[in-house]
Amino acid sequence: MQPQPRKKLVLITASSTQIRRVRRARVLDFQQITMPYLAAFVPAEWEVVHVDENVAPIDPEFQADLVGITFHTPSASHAYDLAAGLRARGIPVALGGPHVALVPEEAARHADVIFVGEAESVWPKFLRDFAAGHYAPRYEPAEPPCLDQAPMARKELYHRRDLTAGRLFATRGCPYACDFCSLAVMYRRTLRRRPVEAVAAEYGSFRGKVIIFWDDNLAADREYAKQLFRAIQPYKKWWSSQASLQAGMDEEFLELAAASGCKQLFIGLESISQASLDAAHKEFNRVDEYARAIERIHAHGIAVQAGIVFGFDQDDESIFAKTLDFLEATGVQNATFNILTPYPGTPLYRRLEAEGRLLTRDWSRYNGREDVVFRPQRMSAAALLEGYRSANRRFYSPESIRQRLSHSPVGLWWTLPLNLAYAAALARSGAA
Ligand code: B12
């Protein structure tokens, strides 16, 4: 009997031209794990190709038996256009990812099948259904999946050459429910952990030295994290992750993290206004503890990348200078500034919609960096945009870099070049 030709599955990490331009000011455009990870669930009878639009354009004539697309909100319209082109050529399209989880009814109008939320249990089922010739228009797990059996992502499908060698996740989800964050909606506030040995094995399997944990909050379960740090220490690599401020309150966590090679933690400070944090349901961040926590993290030789959001209802125009004064005084090494953006499906979106304060539903403008998509309370949209830009300019100015890094005990050999690279990228992007 003739062997059956393999079916071809093309997985696309979609990224619109606009969001790629917006993100030009970032130096490290890290790769997402999603498609190399989903590929690991696909049976051998499929040939799997991954196209990452951040690396290469899509060949408009490519052939496939099935296409899967993942995308964030700012790339939604672009992903729908891609889907329309493919479906017009008779290729079935599956859509998934954060935006689909947040607004499934909208996504369903642009796809043959949608995946709402996490796909570990339903993706293999769909592939079986597809092979049998009958599949449902919507797949959604009844329960958030257990990650005990989560496979390693397929490395040959990683394309981006950022400065890191590996990315993986150990945990998924965050126990908090900040009103601007998509995660509580996507993951139903559940925190899951992969087995420590499996994570350590994947960590050790990357050839390079620098690893990113794409965890939402590696400090969400600090006892689990400590076990993980012990398990990865022998590999002698360097790593970074997102973590809540609580990481900075736990000496043992910091000690073990540093010993296992942690070089930087991305900490969602969000605001230096307690009133803003309280109103956004992030009251567990205590502004009066920030300086002490940052000092403790620094004392372990770990750099801090501060996540900052401008535009809360309690923010007036003084917030920009106050925030920068604070970041300079504490010697924070890096910062990611964001304009508050009400992603659809979040409590923030519903509130601003009810108050008639949304300025647009053009998702491409929900980029958090170039557009203000709602009417702020205590300043104009133009002042918010300009304040956000001025914060970037000031933070990456030679004077601020000198001031911040001169009293930071963390390796200048890498924090200084990274700051200079950000300053150059900002100037190139035209945002400076
Ligand atoms: C890595 C990451 C990035 C990377 C890479 C993104 C990329 N497109 O290449 C970088 C740093 C570049 C980035 C950028 C941005 N990001 Co981002 N990012 C993440 C992060 C931390 C992890 C994503 C990940 O790899 N998860 C692990 C994989 C396995 O999970 P997953 O993607 O959710 O996939 C699962 C399911 O969703 C499903 N699935 C997903 N897609 C598909 C597709 C198909 C066909 C199927 C079957 C299933 C399926 O299956 C998977 C297994 O269950 C998430 C937080 C999070 N937990 O999702 C934020 C997150 C997705 N990002 C977010 C945001 C806001 C952004 C930016 C807009 C920030 C900005 N202002 O620039 C940009 C947009 C970039 C773009 N190109 O559109 C928001 C999304 C909000 C939204 N509504 O879309 C999140 C949720 C963070 C948050 N806390 O709110 N990001």
Side-chain angles (χ1 to χ4, degrees), residues 93-281:
V93 173
L95 296 180
H99 189 76
V100 177
L102 296 168
V103 276
E105 284 72 26
E106 175 193 288
R109 294 197 291 275
H110 303 273
D112 296 284
V113 48
I114 57 165
F115 289 82
V116 182
E118 297 163 78
E120 276 78 1
S121 54
V122 289
W123 172 235
K125 171 166 182 6
F126 159 75
L127 290 170
R128 287 193 301 274
D129 293 351
F130 185 88
H134 304 285
Y135 57 89
R138 173 176 172 142
Y139 288 77
E140 184 173 2
E143 297 291 327
C146 156
L147 299 176
D148 280 358
Q149 304 294 328
M152 285 190 199
R154 279 175 56 175
K155 291 192 181 55
E156 78 281 12
L157 299 180
Y158 283 128
H159 299 313
R160 254 182 267 178
R161 288 178 184 278
D162 53 40
L163 293 180
T164 68
R167 345 68 193 130
L168 73 168
F169 64 91
T171 65
R172 182 179 294 164
C174 178
Y176 303 119
C178 309
D179 82 339
F180 53 85
C181 185
S182 308
L183 293 179
V185 189
M186 288 162 58
Y187 298 148
R188 305 181 214 172
R189 288 187 73 176
T190 55
L191 175 73
R192 267 74 42 69
R193 307 142 188 88
R194 290 174 67 196
V196 164
E197 318 75 60
V199 180
E202 185 164 11
Y203 182 91
S205 73
F206 291 106
R207 271 191 288 141
K209 179 94 176 161
V210 183
I211 309 288
I212 305 290
F213 281 104
W214 269 144
D215 287 48
D216 302 307
N217 177 4
L218 198 52
D221 179 344
R222 291 198 295 285
E223 294 315 310
Y224 168 89
K226 289 173 195 174
Q227 286 176 35
L228 178 64
F229 300 158
R230 289 189 185 98
I232 62 175
Q233 182 170 353
Y235 296 107
K236 297 192 185 327
K237 293 178 187 289
W238 296 332
W239 63 267
S240 175
S241 179
Q242 305 187 108
S244 56
L245 189 71
Q246 283 64 30
M249 318 288 184
D250 185 330
E251 269 304 310
E252 193 188 18
F253 176 99
L254 292 172
E255 217 167 276
L256 291 168
S260 69
C262 178
K263 290 283 168 232
Q264 174 159 286
L265 290 173
F266 180 107
I267 308 277
L269 298 181
E270 319 304 0
S271 182
I272 59 142
S273 151
Q274 191 64 50
S276 297
L277 292 164
D278 292 351
H281 301 303

Side-chain angles (χ1 to χ4, degrees), residues 371-387:
D371 291 288
V372 176
V373 298
F374 70 102
R375 203 152 15 84
Q377 189 89 288
R378 297 191 189 189
M379 61 182 120
S380 66
L384 174 53
L385 185 60
E386 178 43 35

Side-chain angles (χ1 to χ4, degrees), residues 13 15 19 23 29-30 32-35 37-38 54 68-70 72-75 94 96-98 102 115 117-120 123 160 169 172 181-183 186-187 214 216 242 338 343 367 369:
T13 301
S15 205
I19 190 72
R23 292 189 54 83
D29 201 11
F30 300 117
Q32 202 173 7
I33 311 163
T34 313
M35 287 321 196
Y37 174 67
L38 285 177
N54 290 283
I69 307 179
T70 189
H72 292 42
T73 294
S75 296
L102 296 168
F115 289 82
E118 297 163 78
E120 276 78 1
W123 172 235
R160 254 182 267 178
F169 64 91
R172 182 179 294 164
C181 185
S182 308
L183 293 179
M186 288 162 58
Y187 298 148
W214 269 144
D216 302 307
Q242 305 187 108
N338 291 284
Y343 285 104
N367 52 58
R369 306 280 159 84

Side-chain angles (χ1 to χ4, degrees), residues 264-342:
Q264 174 159 286
L265 290 173
F266 180 107
I267 308 277
L269 298 181
E270 319 304 0
S271 182
I272 59 142
S273 151
Q274 191 64 50
S276 297
L277 292 164
D278 292 351
H281 301 303
K282 193 152 184 172
E283 59 286 334
F284 53 89
N285 263 16
R286 306 303 311 169
V287 175
D288 54 10
E289 291 171 345
Y290 281 7
R292 178 82 190 105
I294 293 169
E295 199 182 302
R296 288 167 79 156
I297 298 171
H298 282 167
H300 288 273
I302 299 171
V304 171
Q305 169 139 12
I308 300 287
V309 178
F310 294 124
F312 292 107
D313 280 359
Q314 295 67 24
D315 291 351
D316 60 26
E317 288 185 47
S318 67
I319 191 73
F320 306 109
K322 280 188 204 152
T323 304
L324 269 289
D325 290 348
F326 170 82
L327 297 175
E328 286 168 357
T330 47
V332 160
Q333 286 79 5
N334 281 295
T336 303
F337 299 106
N338 291 284
I339 300 166
L340 182 67
T341 301

